[in-house]
Amino acid sequence: MGILKGTIVAVCRSDKTGERKEPHPSVTLVADFGIDGDAHAGRESRRQVSLLAVKSIEAMKAKGLELGYGDFAENLAVAGIDLHMLPLRVRLRTRSGAVLEVTQIGKACHNKGCSIFRQVGTCIMPKEGIFSRVIIGGVVRTGDTIEVMEN
């Protein structure tokens, strides 16, 4: 099997927890902390940076939802890799050399489900969102490549 490569199609952050994240041209990943300026940075070492596959977002759009990047509170939207199929502890490297380590796959929705769950009866984050911690920091930009590192 060759190296899995994808493209980061959106980088998002928010100042407060519990709200959608806003797309930005770039974000700075800080080792052992998360995304500089993001509300979830440093709060929990296992979930410093969240990632979601564009394919998963598109599947929810097909259910009739008008969604943008960041609406699932994901930090990085990635095309070309089925992120939720990756094993725990696998590492991802961005074009800038930043390295993330997958620490968790899926996350329980908020109490009574998120707003998307309430609208369509399902949400993708519990099964398809992945979480990581920052091993090596760096700047990540929309359009950057991201690849699964070989062990």
Side-chain angles (χ1 to χ4, degrees):
M1 173 175 94
I3 295 175
L4 292 175
K5 288 186 180 182
T7 302
I8 298 170
V9 299
V11 294
C12 307
R13 67 177 179 82
S14 65
D15 298 341
K16 299 177 185 169
T17 60
E19 61 183 39
R20 74 176 301 278
K21 295 188 183 290
E22 294 293 326
H24 291 268
S26 65
V27 294
T28 300
L29 299 178
V30 179
D32 294 322
F33 184 73
I35 292 178
D36 186 37
D38 188 69
H40 291 99
R43 292 177 47 95
E44 186 178 321
S45 63
R46 290 186 45 164
R47 295 195 330 221
Q48 294 173 352
V49 179
S50 60
L51 298 90
L52 189 58
V54 170
K55 182 173 154 180
S56 299
I57 297 168
E58 293 299 323
M60 292 301 285
K61 284 183 177 180
K63 295 181 182 293
L65 294 175
E66 290 188 32
L67 295 168
Y69 296 119
D71 284 351
F72 289 98
E74 76 278 5
N75 293 120
L76 305 177
V78 176
I81 301 174
D82 285 333
L83 296 169
H84 67 285
M85 302 299 288
L86 296 174
L88 292 176
R89 300 181 66 195
V90 73
R91 291 187 176 188
L92 303 164
R93 180 176 38 232
T94 69
R95 183 166 84 187
S96 69
V99 175
L100 301 169
E101 181 180 70
V102 176
T103 56
Q104 183 175 332
I105 300 170
K107 169 182 133 6
C109 264
H110 300 295
N111 195 14
K112 298 183 183 176
C114 64
S115 61
I116 292 168
F117 183 87
R118 290 191 301 273
Q119 288 177 43
V120 296
T122 188
C123 180
I124 52 180
M125 284 307 279
K127 292 185 180 174
E128 298 183 30
I130 70 167
F131 299 88
S132 63
R133 66 185 183 98
V134 181
I135 303 298
I136 298 172
V139 175
V140 177
R141 293 175 176 81
T142 299
D144 279 357
T145 56
I146 187 168
E147 66 182 22
V148 176
M149 296 172 67
E150 293 189 35
N151 291 338

